Amino acid sequence: MKTRFERRFAELKAAGRTGLIPFVTAGDPLPEAVVPMLHALVAGGADVIELGVPFSDPMADGPVIQHASERAIARGVGLKTVLGWVAEFRQTDADTPIVLMGYLNPLEMYGYERFATDAVAAGVDGVLLVDCPIEEAHVLEPLRAAGLDQILLASPTTAPARMERLCKASSGFLYYVSFAGITGSAQLSTDDIAARVAAIRTASSAPVAVGFGVRNAGSAVAIAAFADAVVIGSALVERLAEATSVDDAATRAHDFLAPIRAALDARKG
Amino acid sequence: MTKIADFHAYPDAHGRFGDFGGVYVAETLMEPLAELTEAYNRLRNDPSFIAELDRDLKYYVGRPSPIYHAERLSRHVGGAKILLKREDLNHTGAHKINNTVGQALVARHMGKTRIIAETGAGQHGVASATVAARMGLKCVVYMGAVDIERQKINVYRMKLLGAEVIPVTSGSKTLKDALNEAMRDWVTNVADTFYIIGTVAGPHPYPQMVRDFNAIVGREARQQMLEQYGRLPDAITACVGGGSNAIGLFHAFLNDASVRIVGAEAAGEGIETGRHAASLAAGKPGVLHGNRTYVLSDENGQITETHSVSAGLDYPGVGPEHAFLKDAGRAEYVGITDDEALEAFHLLARTEGILAALESSHAIAQAMKLARELPADALVLANLSGRGDKDVHTIAAREGIEL
Ligand SMILES: Cc1ncc(COP(=O)(O)O)c(C=O)c1O
């Protein structure tokens, strides 16, 4: 049976479209807005959703996502709540792949076996664990056994031999981090990225998503020239932060994404 | 419990101490950490590097530090002899300089021009600023806003030494958050920047490298015990924040089965109150700051806020080698409360004329407990990891005195 990732990336390829992957922190700005927001993102053109699991010590994140995490934690959001939201989302959306993005300690405390069972039951498709490189990925064996994909990151500092190992070990898609830094920084040099993504393509047939530093339609279109999908996080989280109601959050999510979707689709013609 | 034949055989090539340690970091840092590991492995076996380090330790740090018999304190307590390894007499006033001198040499050999560090009590920040000044390197120190407030003297010392001190206002605004922020800086500036971690935490090779640079404490102490007392101590103790001064003292004694090893964690207002920083005594295995170790965490996996009167022990994790020694049954880890530490501080001041750091006062309090349990001819060796000048304001404030 094909996974949701496989189906989604095959559809994109057949249609000649670039995938759009928004990131939101689960529980921010309002816990009750999460599920309506996820649906609004899909309506606005999301192909895959990265749902951030809040963590108290997000070492690889800049201030925008740090603060979103802090707000969510202050409202008591944890892994269990997040899985509940995914299950609720799945009641009316069977197709959009969902990646849980975050750090290892929440899974450690939840228990890997228990997490694998509960995540699959909720309808999660994969995990992207920032502080779990391939060297430590043995702890995720129960997740793989349950059918969850492990999305791996590759970065500008990844040496060629290591890149090959990453390509082999990654499942779902490979996430290329466009620069050495934390989320939310605005520096983007598309020339370097294009060359690196080309190198990945020689080692792997997996879809390549590019993120970090994509903030708007312009930067998304620039990345689309060589990536299968673009990831947008901090700029969206920033836009959502000031939402005052569930409807406001959903509208903001939709209205942020729709023009980017339109620009990506206009590009292919 | 598996029996360990040689405690000096750890970590393995992946940086693991049994189930603990490892490299739990973002992909961007994997290559820089591999480069650091390679450079460190080359240098630590290089006779000219070792000679350089030995020279710095002797002429700049002032090593060896003496072992001092605290006679009046021992008599006051009753029981075994309490001996103090005087790391407070080092240049800059704590064991932290052993590590920064070593890492600064590694940084220079790697051609890095900018030093960053995190600090809690400010002792590691001062020790980093010191070696950076001496080598003409730029130095940026991250420090939690809460710690800046309670360690003002050290903040000013760092500035006098030419370092830039950046307040960290995220999370609990203490040591763990300073470490997060330093890591973020490193990820961003990895090409020219060397991150001097101040304790035996972080991803491999840090727990090993920081231990190796501090292990001089135990090597000297073991030798000094044999020379001055003709035998090894019956028990040794040290305070445990991240665990660098403790592993520094313990390491040389790990294979000496007759030596009882006890780490003193910060029990704050009492472990039962939840306001403490006793990761080993009250935490569980988890992943924090690049390694698997004991952490203080809630059921959602959020790292919990800690409390200790001493900023340097106010940390919700602990070096992975201590986690390993605990599970292997080689070392015991117990809690010392704020009140017990303060009592030991005052007693040491009045019986011996030594103002100990609040961190080190936890070790003194534990040494007093051990001495009470043991016979008069027994020897208890405590690591006096630093001097207390930096804490004078905190102690005065606690006692309602305005300076
Ligand atoms: C004097 C002194 N002792 C101990 C510590 C705790 O650190 P560690 O457990 O790494 O020795 C500190 C930390 O700042 C310190 O300044």
Side-chain angles (χ1 to χ4, degrees):
Chain A
M1 204 180 70
K2 279 201 155 64
T3 66
R4 283 193 196 93
F5 288 122
E6 286 164 344
R7 273 181 273 148
R8 182 48 49 93
F9 280 103
E11 286 161 18
L12 286 168
K13 193 167 185 179
R17 298 171 79 210
T18 303
L20 181 55
I21 310 183
F23 167 96
V24 290
T25 299
D28 186 67
L30 302 163
E32 59 278 19
V34 172
V35 176
M37 231 165 54
L38 296 182
H39 288 303
L41 288 171
V42 175
D47 297 296
V48 173
I49 292 174
E50 279 186 13
L51 190 55
V53 178
F55 180 49
S56 54
D57 295 79
M59 264 194 323
D61 285 301
V64 169
I65 295 176
Q66 279 172 45
H67 292 138
S69 278
E70 282 172 14
R71 288 189 295 264
I73 292 168
R75 295 185 176 110
V77 176
L79 199 42
K80 210 176 150 116
T81 345
V82 177
L83 291 176
W85 287 327
V86 175
E88 200 183 324
F89 171 77
R90 276 278 170 259
Q91 288 172 7
T92 49
D93 186 324
D95 304 318
T96 310
I98 294 215
V99 180
L100 293 190
M101 180 158 181
Y103 296 78
L104 215 45
N105 200 55
L107 266 69
E108 279 271 329
M109 295 301 152
Y110 199 94
Y112 293 104
E113 298 275 353
R114 183 177 153 226
F115 172 78
T117 310
D118 293 358
V120 168
V124 172
D125 299 283
V127 294
L128 198 169
L129 295 158
V130 180
D131 55 354
C132 189
I134 40 177
E135 283 76 1
E136 309 294 352
H138 51 272
V139 297
L140 301 180
E141 194 43 49
L143 278 63
R144 270 191 295 275
L148 292 169
D149 282 317
Q150 189 192 2
I151 315 301
L152 290 173
L153 295 167
S155 87
T157 58
T158 306
R162 186 176 169 80
M163 187 68 91
E164 267 184 47
R165 287 179 58 206
L166 288 181
C167 289
K168 282 209 185 75
S170 190
S171 56
F173 61 93
L174 192 75
Y175 184 147
Y176 184 71
V177 171
S178 71
F179 58 85
I182 53 176
T183 56
S185 317
Q187 42 171 288
L188 200 64
S189 157
T190 43
D191 290 352
D192 297 352
I193 309 170
R196 299 283 295 181
V197 172
I200 295 173
R201 298 229 185 266
T202 63
S204 166
S205 59
V208 180
V210 173
F212 277 44
V214 187
R215 300 193 63 80
N216 48 35
S219 43
V221 166
I223 296 287
F226 47 84
D228 299 299
V230 295
V231 183
I232 303 195
S234 296
L236 171 58
V237 172
E238 210 168 359
R239 173 78 77 93
L240 294 170
E242 283 138 34
T244 51
S245 67
V246 172
D247 284 348
D248 186 20
T251 306
R252 281 168 185 257
H254 176 275
D255 293 356
F256 179 85
L257 222 54
I260 302 174
R261 171 82 274 161
L264 286 175
D265 290 347
R267 186 197 147 262
K268 87 180 149 120
Chain B
M1 217 176 279
T2 49
K3 187 134 176 55
I4 310 289
D6 178 12
F7 282 97
H8 291 166
Y10 295 84
D12 69 13
H14 297 285
R16 299 203 181 99
F17 301 87
D19 292 337
F20 301 101
V23 188
Y24 293 87
V25 296
E27 177 60 27
T28 309
L29 287 177
M30 291 305 290
E31 194 64 27
L33 284 167
E35 273 167 31
L36 174 60
T37 303
E38 196 199 296
Y40 176 60
N41 282 336
R42 183 165 36 78
L43 291 170
R44 75 194 172 97
N45 295 310
D46 174 350
S48 71
F49 177 84
I50 295 166
E52 219 179 347
L53 178 61
D54 286 349
R55 251 194 325 273
D56 281 358
L57 290 174
K58 184 169 175 192
Y59 296 108
Y60 191 67
V61 176
R63 303 207 70 88
S65 68
I67 283 183
Y68 167 73
H69 176 199
E71 238 180 300
R72 290 192 70 230
L73 175 68
S74 304
R75 214 176 314 134
H76 182 97
V77 170
K81 280 196 178 73
I82 298 174
L83 311 173
L84 305 177
K85 178 65 173 162
R86 297 291 307 273
E87 290 300 297
D88 60 319
L89 297 179
N90 294 337
H91 179 43
T92 71
H95 70 290
K96 299 281 180 190
I97 191 90
N98 300 321
N99 170 45
T100 59
V101 159
Q103 287 200 51
L105 285 177
V106 177
R108 199 176 62 192
H109 278 272
M110 292 181 76
K112 305 287 182 182
T113 54
R114 179 173 175 268
I115 296 289
I116 58 170
E118 86 294 338
T119 197
Q123 285 302 116
H124 174 60
V126 166
S128 298
T130 297
V131 295
R134 178 170 174 248
M135 290 194 175
L137 303 172
K138 192 172 164 10
C139 181
V140 173
V141 179
Y142 290 93
M143 188 167 186
V146 168
D147 292 337
I148 286 185
E149 198 45 46
R150 59 179 164 173
Q151 301 286 338
K152 284 190 192 127
I153 296 179
N154 273 343
V155 174
Y156 188 55
R157 283 171 83 194
M158 287 183 259
K159 289 182 180 163
L160 289 174
L161 291 160
E164 183 189 352
V165 180
I166 301 185
V168 176
T169 55
S170 57
S172 59
K173 305 179 181 61
T174 59
L175 179 56
K176 82 172 174 75
D177 309 284
L179 213 150
N180 290 333
E181 210 51 41
M183 236 359 137
R184 292 179 187 120
D185 178 316
W186 198 38
V187 163
T188 309
N189 301 297
V190 74
D192 69 344
T193 297
F194 191 98
Y195 179 14
I196 301 189
I197 296 187
T199 190
V200 283
H204 181 64
Y206 284 101
Q208 177 186 3
M209 182 167 64
V210 178
R211 175 200 71 194
D212 291 350
F213 287 138
N214 267 304
I216 181 78
V217 176
R219 276 202 308 278
E220 270 176 21
R222 197 172 180 283
Q223 181 77 27
Q224 289 165 323
M225 289 301 301
L226 295 173
E227 282 166 11
Q228 291 171 233
Y229 297 91
R231 66 183 186 91
L232 296 178
D234 298 281
I236 60 177
T237 187
C239 66
V240 180
S244 66
N245 88 89
I247 206 72
L249 177 66
F250 297 169
H251 195 253
F253 294 96
L254 290 176
N255 288 329
D256 297 315
S258 69
V259 179
R260 184 173 165 199
I261 299 179
V262 186
E265 291 190 297
E269 294 173 6
I271 289 184
E272 69 291 345
T273 66
R275 288 180 53 75
H276 62 83
S279 323
L280 288 163
K284 51 200 160 191
V287 173
L288 177 66
H289 291 151
N291 67 88
R292 175 185 304 282
T293 186
Y294 276 76
V295 298
L296 295 169
S297 159
D298 68 16
E299 77 281 0
N300 283 330
Q302 312 303 354
I303 301 303
T304 46
E305 293 202 4
T306 53
H307 168 82
S308 169
V309 67
S310 70
L313 303 185
D314 216 343
Y315 181 63
V318 64
E321 191 163 7
H322 289 291
F324 167 67
L325 295 176
K326 172 190 160 82
D327 279 14
R330 179 62 189 101
E332 304 153 59
Y333 295 89
V334 299
I336 291 291
T337 63
D338 288 351
D339 288 346
E340 289 172 322
L342 282 158
E343 190 195 323
F345 171 90
H346 286 300
L347 196 57
L348 186 70
R350 280 184 308 239
T351 56
E352 298 291 348
I354 297 172
L355 296 180
L358 282 175
E359 291 80 11
S360 321
S361 298
H362 288 69
I364 304 302
Q366 183 56 35
M368 287 160 51
K369 286 189 182 178
L370 289 165
R372 265 184 222 115
E373 289 172 19
L374 293 167
D377 60 352
L379 302 173
V380 174
L381 174 65
N383 198 5
L384 181 46
S385 57
R387 66 177 187 225
D389 309 45
K390 69 182 177 63
D391 296 315
V392 166
H393 275 93
T394 304
I395 292 162
R398 253 183 101 93
E399 294 174 358
I401 296 160
E402 214 175 301
L403 297 181

